[in-house]
Amino acid sequence: MASPANGFAKSRPVDFSSFGNLSDPKTLHLLKRGLASRCLQKGFHAEAERLYRELLEADPADHDGLQGLGAVCLLEQRPDEAVHWFVKALALRTDCPEVISNLGTAYHRLGRLADAKILYRQAMALKPDYADPCCNLGCILQEEGSIAEAMDWH
């Protein structure tokens, strides 16, 4: 029920027990990772970048942190930095189609079309129903003038 004074509904107190032990570094790391991901989704890129960098300070081998920081760099039009983070993420896990596709996008933006096409095809081989690399490959083929082949991928 909304309060006439402020227009907000009354809410129950948050039960933090479901988060586990908040003084545990591992729990805090997981919560920070979730917050960073949410910030990225909502367009708060600077905050997401700060959180991902903090995650990587605590654990340089955090795959999600590396992938997330690469995504921030890609969204902020810094494809050269994005390449750095995506390559590090792939060194930890070579079978992640999202990272492979995002690395392809970074290469695409840097004009490395041959590399981008290879990566898009690798991502689709791992996840055939993944639309992003399929569409992006079609765009490159269209840019190159391979209209008939591009139609197969759009």
Side-chain angles (χ1 to χ4, degrees):
M1 175 157 81
S3 164
N6 62 19
F8 291 103
K10 290 184 178 183
S11 63
R12 293 185 212 123
V14 176
D15 177 14
F16 288 105
S17 65
S18 63
F19 292 115
N21 180 1
L22 290 178
S23 63
D24 175 44
K26 190 172 185 174
T27 300
L28 290 174
H29 189 85
L30 291 173
L31 288 172
K32 189 177 285 190
R33 185 188 297 159
L35 180 59
S37 176
R38 190 69 174 153
C39 285
L40 182 60
Q41 291 170 356
K42 291 295 185 179
F44 299 110
H45 299 163
E47 186 63 19
E49 182 171 356
R50 183 185 67 75
L51 290 165
Y52 283 126
R53 287 187 187 279
E54 288 178 13
L55 287 168
L56 292 171
E57 275 182 35
D59 180 7
D62 184 326
H63 184 266
D64 292 332
L66 294 165
Q67 179 179 354
L69 190 51
V72 168
C73 292
L74 203 53
L75 290 167
E76 288 294 312
Q77 307 307 317
R78 300 183 338 242
D80 50 340
E81 277 185 74
V83 166
H84 171 79
W85 298 113
F86 292 140
V87 166
K88 283 182 166 266
L90 282 175
L92 296 174
R93 233 181 93 200
T94 60
D95 64 343
C96 184
E98 293 79 12
V99 174
I100 294 168
S101 178
N102 285 337
L103 179 57
T105 299
Y107 282 152
H108 187 175
R109 291 187 184 165
L110 291 169
R112 294 176 56 178
L113 302 184
D115 292 327
K117 289 191 300 188
I118 289 168
L119 289 164
Y120 290 147
R121 286 187 169 108
Q122 285 178 359
M124 289 184 296
L126 290 170
K127 189 175 177 182
D129 61 342
Y130 189 20
D132 288 352
C134 183
C135 291
N136 291 337
L137 177 59
C139 289
I140 290 176
L141 293 169
Q142 186 175 0
E143 289 170 25
E144 293 177 335
S146 301
I147 304 301
E149 190 180 359
M151 296 300 289
D152 292 337
W153 297 105
H154 276 296

